[in-house]
Amino acid sequence: QVQLVESGGGLVQAGDSLTLSCAASGRTFSSHAMGWFRQVPGKEREFVCAVTWSWSAVNAYYTDSVKGRFTISRDNAKNTVYLQMNSLKPEDTAVYYCAASPYSSSYYRASSYDSWGQGTQVTVSS
C-alpha cells in the first residue's frame, strides 16, 4: 500500500496559478502511475492528468480541458508528484485527489488506482 498526502490547495482568482503536491510513502516502488483526479459535489471523480513510467519511458497524459494549462511532474528523490495549474478557471473548482496505481495502462480510470490521498480543495473565483 502507498500512503499519499496532498497539499497546496486554496482559494485563487481566475487566471491565477496554483501548485499541488502529493507526497508518497510506503510501497512506492510498486507504483507505475500517479494521477490527479478531481471531484465536485454530485458528480463522479474526473480524470485530470497522470504520469506513467516503465523501464523505458516516462509519459504524461492530460484531459483535454487542462491541456496547455496544467503540468504534472514528479521528483523521484522526494517521492513527490506535483500538479502545476496555470490560467485557472472557475470550472477548475473541485476537490483534487492524488492517486497511485500499480499499472501504467488505463491511467484515466479511477478504478485502476489502489491508493488515494485525502483530497485538497481548489476554489477558483471569477
Side-chain angles (χ1 to χ4, degrees), residues 17-28:
S17 298
L18 202 60
T19 300
L20 305 183
S21 300
C22 174
S25 60
R27 296 173 59 88
T28 57

Side-chain angles (χ1 to χ4, degrees), residues 1-4 22-34 53 74 76 78-80 100-102 115:
Q1 193 75 6
V2 178
Q3 291 76 47
L4 303 171
C22 174
S25 60
R27 296 173 59 88
T28 57
F29 59 86
S30 65
S31 297
H32 291 277
M34 294 286 291
W53 58 89
R74 65 173 190 156
N76 291 338
K78 296 182 179 180
N79 280 333
T80 300
S101 171
S115 299

